[in-house]
Amino acid sequence: MTSRRRVLRVRDGVHTTRPDTLTVEEPLEIRVGGQALSVTMRTPGDDFDLAAGFLVGEGVVRAPADIRAIRYCAGATADGGNTYNVLDVVLADGVAPPDASVARNFYTTSSCGLCGKASLDAVRTTVTWPVAADPFATDPAALAGLPDELRAAQRVFDRTGGLHAAGLFDADGKLLCLREDVGRHNAVDKVVGWATRAGNLPLAGTALMVSGRASFELVQKAVLAGIPLLAAVSAPSSLAVDLAAELGLTLVGFLRGTSMNVYTRPDRLGLQPS
């Protein structure tokens, strides 16, 4: 979703007024069974996928049957209107809601995440599909093409220059799904949510490519969706590398053309440390 605004453009001392296309950013409140869970700043669109993917990343949802319904909440405004910025997820009977003691009831930005030993322990105990034994194999040449494939598929980025992207690829570098958002975490949630609602979890034998850096939370989301390889165009954090190493995820950073840093499990690329 985009919006148009007038902007004063200055080039070489000459200024002109012209329209500019901006990425829309609005809050989305995610509720589970009517109880508020999180508020995230996102680009409207694919909101149901975002909510489903978020709950996969929280270890709550593992299959489409775990979700009975997702709906926008009417009456979200004082006059009873619908802002389409509040979602309620109704879980199926027998699916445990998020634990109130660990539920993240806070305002979420694109730079936030979990950290520390408690977070590592939480991910370790909620993994449904261990990725360490996934026989996924590719090669550096196939990975080298992912950033260009990702960029070429970013339709809204072409118009605004202001969006992150997450793309799901097979071992041959074929793009399976792409989502854009102002937040990297949201883009990944939308991809995972798409796969969840289509009944494609776990995402064994796939690679996730993200714009920007690879944070702990992105590694967490990949592992909980059963994705064995995560690649990013920028750097990973130390905690992201720690989690990837512990759980057997292949983590690649600074993927730019034929140049890349492989931080964990290089064997999936047919490589061995020298």
Side-chain angles (χ1 to χ4, degrees), residues 187-233:
V188 170
D189 280 340
K190 289 178 178 181
V191 168
V192 173
W194 163 82
T196 303
R197 299 175 70 213
N200 292 331
L201 292 186
L203 288 169
T206 63
L208 181 66
M209 176 76 207
V210 297
S211 61
R213 63 186 180 86
S215 65
F216 169 89
E217 192 168 17
L218 294 192
V219 171
Q220 170 192 346
K221 291 178 183 296
V223 168
L224 288 174
I227 299 171
L229 187 148
L230 172 63
V233 299

Side-chain angles (χ1 to χ4, degrees), residues 93-118:
D93 293 341
V95 177
D99 189 330
S101 66
V102 297
R104 288 188 281 162
N105 294 299
F106 55 70
Y107 172 84
T108 305
T109 72
S110 62
S111 61
C112 80
L114 301 174
C115 61
K117 183 179 184 299

Side-chain angles (χ1 to χ4, degrees), residues 18 20 44-45 49 78 83 90 98 120 124 128 131 134 148 152 160 186 204 212-213 221 229 254 260 269:
R18 50 166 286 180
D20 191 31
D49 288 345
T83 63
V90 181
L120 289 168
R124 188 184 301 111
T128 303
V131 299
D134 193 312
D148 287 343
T160 66
N186 293 339
R213 63 186 180 86
K221 291 178 183 296
L229 187 148
F254 294 107
M260 66 191 76
L269 279 67

Side-chain angles (χ1 to χ4, degrees), residues 84-201:
Y84 296 97
N85 285 336
V86 181
L87 275 181
D88 190 29
V89 181
V90 181
L91 299 176
D93 293 341
V95 177
D99 189 330
S101 66
V102 297
R104 288 188 281 162
N105 294 299
F106 55 70
Y107 172 84
T108 305
T109 72
S110 62
S111 61
C112 80
L114 301 174
C115 61
K117 183 179 184 299
S119 300
L120 289 168
D121 291 341
V123 175
R124 188 184 301 111
T125 58
T126 54
V127 169
T128 303
W129 306 287
V131 299
D134 193 312
F136 175 83
T138 187
D139 57 62
L143 279 188
L146 300 193
D148 287 343
E149 290 289 331
L150 191 75
R151 177 66 183 83
Q154 286 189 259
R155 292 177 297 175
V156 180
F157 182 88
D158 283 338
R159 297 160 60 193
T160 66
L163 282 178
H164 284 289
L168 188 70
F169 294 84
D170 66 14
D172 296 322
K174 178 184 177 182
L175 181 62
L176 305 175
C177 176
L178 178 133
R179 292 292 185 266
E180 294 178 281
D181 200 277
V182 289
R184 288 185 306 276
H185 303 150
N186 293 339
V188 170
D189 280 340
K190 289 178 178 181
V191 168
V192 173
W194 163 82
T196 303
R197 299 175 70 213
N200 292 331
L201 292 186

